[in-house]
Structure formats: C-alpha cells, structure tokens
Amino acid sequence: MDQFYQKNASLYQSLVKAVKKPTRAHGTPTSQEEGNQNMVVSARIRPFLEDELNAGFPCAVFPQNAQAGAKTVIDIHDLYNHPKGRPVLKSFNYGVDRIFGTEATTEQIYEDLVKDLIPFAWDGGISTLFAYGQTGSGKTFTISQLERLAVKALMEGDLPGEKEVYLTIIDLAGNSAFDLLSSRSPISILEDSFGVSQLKGAEEYLVQDRAEVMNLIERAASFRRTASTIKNDASSRSHGICRIRIKDVASDTEGLLYLIDLAGSEAARDIAVHGADRMRETREINISLSVLKDCIRGKAESDALLLSGKRKQGQKAPRVPYRQSALTKVLKHVFDPSGGHTTKTVIIACVNPSLADVSPTKNTLRFAELLRVPAPKIGKPNFKPNSPVTWTNAQLQDWIAKNSGTPPINGSILAPTATGAQILKLPARDFETLCLSTDGVSIDQARAFREKLWALHIDSLHNDGRSQDSAGQSAAANTGSEMKSSSQDDGPNVEKLLFKERIRPGMVVCVKKPVGTGETVGTVRGLTMAMILCPTSALDENHRMSLEAKPNPGKAAYLCATVVSTPSAKAYTLHPWEQVVVDVTDMENEIILEYDSSSHNYYMVL
Ligand SMILES: Nc1ncnc2c1ncn2[C@@H]1O[C@H](COP(=O)(O)OP(=O)(O)OP(=O)(O)O)[C@@H](O)[C@H]1O
C-alpha cells in the first residue's frame, strides 16, 4: 500500500486540489454551544517527521478551518486503487469539539483545553485528560508537555486553601498493573467494601513542590515498558496513568487529577511483522480502548440525562461497564454514575498527517466521534423570583446587582451569559475568582454572596422543589438538583415514636459528646453528627475489637459513619469510612439532612 501511495502521490495531490470547498460534516455541531463543556473531545495533528517527509508521502488530513482551537471538522482524503481505471479519491469527514493543526503548540492546547482541569480538581472535582491514537502519533509528546504545564499550575499557581498533594504513577499492560514509582513492582486493583477502587501495593508520595513532582514523573517515564515497533522505537505498549490526589486539609475532602497516556493502537501493517505475543497485546489494548469508549459515552449520557431532568421514573441509567477492563476499574470514580462525583474530561485524539497512515487516522477520528455526546438540552423553567434555577441571564444579572453587597459585584463579569441554573453549577473557586474581578470585592464578600445564592436555591427546593412547573418538570430537575431526605421512616405512624425507638440505618443523629477519637469526629457548628450504619450486635467479634467497642451490657450501641462539614458553611458530607461506635444514651435527637445531587452535599432541614 505504501508503494501505491508513493507512486500516485502527485495524482493524489491534484485530486485533493480539485475537491470542492468542504461542507460541514454530517452530525457535527453548528456552534460551540452544542458541545459538552464537561467532556471535550479534540484532535491534534502532529507535524510530519523528517523520515516521513523523506519518504514522500503527501498529507491526508485537512482541518476545515486554519485557526487553532475553535474548529470542528477534519477532512480526510484517501486514494483507492480502481481495478478498471485510474485510482479514485474518497473523502471522509469527522467532527470533534476542537482541532489543533500541525502549527498548534502544546501551550495553546493547554490554554484552550487543559487549564480549567487544575482548579476543578483542586476544588474537589475529578479531572481527567486522555491522549490516545495510533502508535507514533504524538500521545507521549503531548501528555508529557501538558503534564509539565499542569504540574506548574498545580504546585505554583497560587490556588487558594491548604491542600496536600499526593502522587501515584502506575502503568497497565493487559490486566496487569505496575507501580512506576517503585521499580515497576506489580500491584493489584481491588474494590474495597465501599466500592472504592484501591491500588494495593502502589506507593503514594506526598509531594511538596514542582521539582519533586517532575522528578517522580521523570522516574516513572523511565520505567514505562517499551517495545520497538516499525513506527516508533520508543513505543509505549501500556497505559500510563498519573494520578494526583488533592486533599483539602480543613474538610478532609479530595479532588483528583488524572493524566493518562493510553497505549498505542498499532496499525495492522505494523502488527504483521511481529509475533503472536504482540498480536495478543494489541488485542488487549484494543479491548481496553473499546471498554473505555463505552464508559466515556455511558457516563456522558448518564450526566446528560440527569442534567436534562428527562429521566423517567423506573428508566434505567445508561450502562457504564467500568468493571470490564483494568483501565476503567482504576478509573472507577470517573465513570461510576452512582458515585455522584462532578467530572471534567478532556480527550485528545492524536493523528499522523501522512497518507501512509490514513487508515489508522480514520479509525482514531471515528473513535473520537463516537465519544462525543451532545450537551443536554435543559427545559426552560417558568420564572420564580425566589428560585435561581428559573432565572434567565437578565434576571440573574438583576439579582446580582441588587444582592451582591457593597461594592456591587459586576454581573457582566460574573455571569456574562449564564442563566441561574448555570451559575449554580459553577465551581466555588471559579465563582469566587470571577467575583474578585470587580474592584474592591473581598473574598469574604464573594463567599457570603455565593452562600446567599445557594441559601435561596436550597430554600426554593424545600418550598417547591417537588412541585411541577407548567413544562411538567420540577425546578429541581432543571439543575439536576433533587433534594432527597437522608432517611425515611417506614409507614405513617412511626413518626409518633421517640426517635430512639425507631433507630434505623441511614438515620442521622446528633450526639451529646464527641465520639470516636481525634480528627474523625464529625463536629459541625457545635453539633456532632453521625449516621447510623448497624447495631454493634451485628458486628463480628474481630470488627468490634478493631473499633474498641467494649461490650456494654444493658446499653444498645450502634456503628455509625461520621458526617462532616464542607468548606461551604451550610453543606455537610458523609464519611462512610470513618466509623465510630455510639451508645444510644449519647444520642440526643434525630437530624434530617437532605441530599442535593447537583452539589453532592447534604443540607440541614431547619
Ligand atoms: N506536535 C509535535 N511536534 C513535533 N514532534 C512531535 C509532535 N508530536 C509528536 N512528535 C514526535 O513524533 C514522535 C512520536 O511521538 P510519541 O512518542 O509522542 O508518539 P506516541 O503516540 O506516544 O507513540 P507510542 O504509542 O508508540 O508511544 C516523537 O519523535 C515525537 O517527538
């Protein structure tokens, strides 16, 4: 095939020149707004390498617009051998959210796609960056440069709050996992009893500065298993996963930043010269990429359904088969729809420009297209003055002008186009940073103003969150928010009983004196809260011993999970892994908390 392309290079170029002005690809977005802001699929076309230029292959990849960043369609022209005449040109086009041509620098890609992932993870979200593509298409080049920029922003970017940063770097080859920070020693991927994926045996480094992180990344790179291929002498045949865990010291919550260099999917002609082992390895890589695609799509569809509020009662959530490969098992919190995490994902499909690689390039871009799930269309709610989710941008701006204190926060900076529902989804840090752009506004004013907006939102959900508007949707559904009580009694008459006579799993109780030891106690604004898990009589002897729960004849006691405050004064979060034993006599009263699915926090019902 290579010879066919080389022989017909000038015919190919004249046929490409004669192609009419490209038209927009079928199924691609008409505007940026239709893209999904939390799941961006992009493509990077690497420049020709010297040996490719010397070999004389023409370019087969043509972005429809020459400007870096904001383009959505790539044309691919391929040459087919016609049995009865001269070769014919066949053209294809693929839609992605952003395209970066051969001239684009990694710094441009960072600014356009990756920059926002860092504060998002810093504020407790899960940010993931994937690079994938054919062997030799520039994945490692792209990820390693982006890694450098991300680490600089993370360690020296002046992000607010006291955080601890932990680094783990592993690699996955087939179903085996290895710790790249510990001489590539084997590790296991396990799910603990709370369903959280654990990398058993992997070292996690608490890092202090940029140089230390970069040294560890360098060390890990040298351990990446490599095997030579025709295309690239240093081809990675495993998925490299860099996990940065960012722990908020005050609230004990955490965010995650994943930087993932996926294994190269080899072209068939490359595989042909390798043995059976390499073919099996390639098959395993392709299976894991296929599961990854299903998970990315499933998660995006699940988020879209939640945000659109169109999920009908009893309707099953889209399937996210994260247990089907080691790669997606490790990334369980990114994909598990029941995990309730807020996520931002960026995918960079790397492609070679050369006609010699046109087939794998088409596969890569087809794969990229499959990952795109359009942003949810959110129904237009009826305006209610006390319900932020119903506000248009003009109504939101009006409220900001009248309620943001002195000096008034500039609404056209804070929310130039956002509706009320959209501003509620803005992460706390972004919200505060935008408030601080108005001269004279202090961080306290910004925080108090956000609290005020959220208090109004929470009250509106309490008051009429479940009432239907004229469009047939609840206001809560329009933000993806749905307030659900933390636990419910079975049957109507139980409420008449004293709370101690109806203790049940899921009930949150206020405890008279601090329970447990030290930091694990959930003391919240003078209260100590705990959620009932089970009576201690249900625990086996070993478990009881490990909790130091001494048998206390005549006194009932319960195993409880702690409930702790978050940086937002009104919101609480549950720590099921921090367990304490509480005697019934130490429980003062029941506390009803409500869960808000848009912020993933609990709020107290006053
Ligand atoms: N944008 C770019 N500008 C200049 N050179 C590049 C660019 N992208 C990649 N290269 C070069 O192309 C070659 C292959 O890149 P790289 O090793 O990153 O590919 P890869 O997709 O990670 O391959 P594999 O999966 O086999 O590891 C390298 O020599 C790299 O320096």
Side-chain angles (χ1 to χ4, degrees), residues 44-47 49 102 104 106 133-142 229 232 234-237 261-265 350:
R44 180 180 205 182
I45 307 159
R46 76 147 161 76
L49 302 179
T102 51
T106 309
Q134 181 204 356
T135 294
S137 58
K139 300 180 295 293
T140 306
F141 180 92
T142 301
T229 66
N232 185 8
S235 168
S236 337
R237 305 293 300 146
D261 182 0
L262 294 169
S265 50
C350 298

Side-chain angles (χ1 to χ4, degrees), residues 309 313 381-382 384 463-478 482:
Q313 208 150 34
N382 286 346
K384 292 181 192 145
N463 295 337
D464 66 358
R466 288 176 201 90
S467 69
Q468 303 283 305
D469 65 20
S470 63
Q473 284 180 354
S474 72
N478 285 321
E482 207 182 335

